Amino acid sequence: MSDYLVRATAADAAIRAFAVSTLDTVEEARARHNLSPVASAALGRLLTAGVMMGGMLKNEDDLVTLRIDGDGPIGSIVVTADSRGEVKGFAANPSVMLPPSPVGKLDVGGSIGNGVLTVIKDMGLKEPYSGQVVLQTGEIAEDLTYYFATSEQVPSSVGLGVLMNRQDATVKRAGGFIIQLMPFASDEVLSKLEENIKSLKPVTTMLDSGLTPEEVLGEVLKGFDIEITDTMPVGFKCNCSKDRLTKALISLGRKEIKSIIDDGKPITMNCHFCNTDYTFEIDELKDIYKKIK
Ligand SMILES: [Zn+2]
């Protein structure tokens, strides 16, 4: 089954809910970037959150970028998602290796360390919206919960999970949910939801037992009338192209391109988001040079 996002409401729209399966998305990121297990978990969780937050955007061309800058060995992690279910991302140090956390889990918090989470929403306005919070645990779900509460003033519950296969270090399961409480929610709805979340199994446990996004929502929102609004396929997708990188080369200016041509060697440019290399031969560089005024 390919990855998909479910959007839902509950309690007469006092709750809005998102759940997603991201196994193929995170496995593609792992393979493209040669991610270590802990880097797969870290980037995978952020990709899972990103694709759900993309699903919250209103307009087709809106973009959301999640950026974590910590002092841990993984360095920065960046994810960009759109409203159509497409998400891409990278970790600065994809090969980071760490011993397991004290409870035997992949040490995502340790790989990220202390730092900040920045959320940038580009909605076609002059200035993109940007909110920043200090990392709470570096485990990402808690950090996003804190972000929603403080930056957007929306009480939320975020669950993110990535499980790896021990034998070959590929991704076994990935997915997550975001539950948000609207301002008009009654105390009764709030306390029932709190009760549910307190007794909820860990996301990885739910994913490991093969629960679909709909079934995950069924667990988180047990006892509520859930209305599924829609479902949408999601996946890892980068919009880079040779054309885009040609534009980047043009922006370097005549002098720079001339000096590359004079060096006499083709150059390779890499897209950080999807780790694709684009090589420009001397003849191509000469064509680009001609195009610059
Ligand atoms: Zn790319």
Side-chain angles (χ1 to χ4, degrees), residues 37-292:
V38 71
S40 300
L43 181 58
R45 286 183 198 174
L46 201 63
L47 286 165
T48 301
V51 82
M52 286 191 281
M53 289 173 72
M56 296 175 185
L57 298 169
K58 302 242 159 30
N59 306 306
E60 194 170 329
D61 295 328
D62 292 355
L63 292 174
V64 60
T65 295
L66 310 181
R67 188 183 168 98
I68 290 179
D69 295 290
D71 61 5
I74 199 168
S76 300
I77 315 175
V78 183
V79 160
T80 295
D82 64 20
S83 64
R84 300 183 299 272
E86 294 179 357
V87 65
K88 59 183 179 178
F90 65 91
N93 179 7
S95 55
V96 57
M97 291 287 203
L98 282 179
S101 73
V103 286
K105 294 241 161 101
L106 289 168
D107 192 3
V108 171
S111 75
I112 289 172
N114 297 310
V116 291
L117 161 71
T118 311
V119 176
I120 303 151
K121 289 186 201 169
D122 188 345
M123 296 172 285
L125 305 169
K126 225 186 241 167
E127 288 287 319
Y129 160 89
S130 165
Q132 191 173 70
V133 292
V134 170
L135 295 174
Q136 301 300 295
T137 60
E139 296 287 335
I140 303 178
E142 290 87 344
D143 305 307
L144 275 164
T145 302
Y146 183 71
Y147 160 79
F148 282 121
T150 56
S151 261
E152 299 197 6
Q153 281 89 43
V154 182
S156 307
S157 175
V158 182
L160 305 168
V162 174
L163 274 171
M164 304 300 289
N165 285 309
R166 277 179 200 278
Q167 312 84 313
D168 58 1
T170 56
V171 183
K172 186 183 179 199
R173 306 270 191 199
F177 66 83
I178 299 178
I179 307 292
Q180 299 198 310
L181 210 54
M182 297 298 107
F184 55 86
S186 66
D187 289 346
E188 200 189 333
V189 168
L190 172 63
S191 57
K192 180 160 178 47
L193 191 58
E194 279 176 342
E195 203 59 40
N196 280 6
I197 286 163
K198 234 182 277 168
S199 60
L200 195 67
K201 290 189 196 111
V203 188
T204 44
T205 308
M206 291 194 279
L207 294 172
D208 207 14
S209 52
L211 261 55
T212 63
E214 290 89 340
E215 289 165 339
V216 168
L217 286 184
E219 290 292 315
V220 187
L221 300 172
K222 201 176 267 177
F224 287 105
D225 53 324
I226 306 168
E227 192 187 331
I228 306 277
T229 326
D230 71 330
T231 63
M232 173 172 76
V234 303
F236 189 102
K237 187 143 190 257
C238 189
N239 54 352
C240 67
S241 63
K242 193 144 191 184
D243 209 37
R244 273 181 169 239
L245 286 169
T246 302
K247 285 185 184 123
L249 273 174
I250 289 172
S251 72
L252 291 176
R254 265 180 95 84
K255 216 177 134 199
E256 194 64 29
I257 302 295
K258 178 81 169 53
S259 91
I260 298 170
I261 294 168
D262 289 346
D263 279 347
K265 285 191 235 71
I267 61 156
T268 299
M269 292 176 79
N270 176 267
C271 171
H272 292 311
F273 275 102
C274 66
N275 201 22
T276 302
D277 282 336
Y278 292 90
T279 301
F280 290 85
E281 302 295 338
I282 295 296
D283 283 347
E284 292 174 288
L285 291 166
K286 283 180 178 163
D287 285 343
I288 290 168
Y289 183 74
K290 273 184 231 155
K291 278 184 206 150
I292 310 175

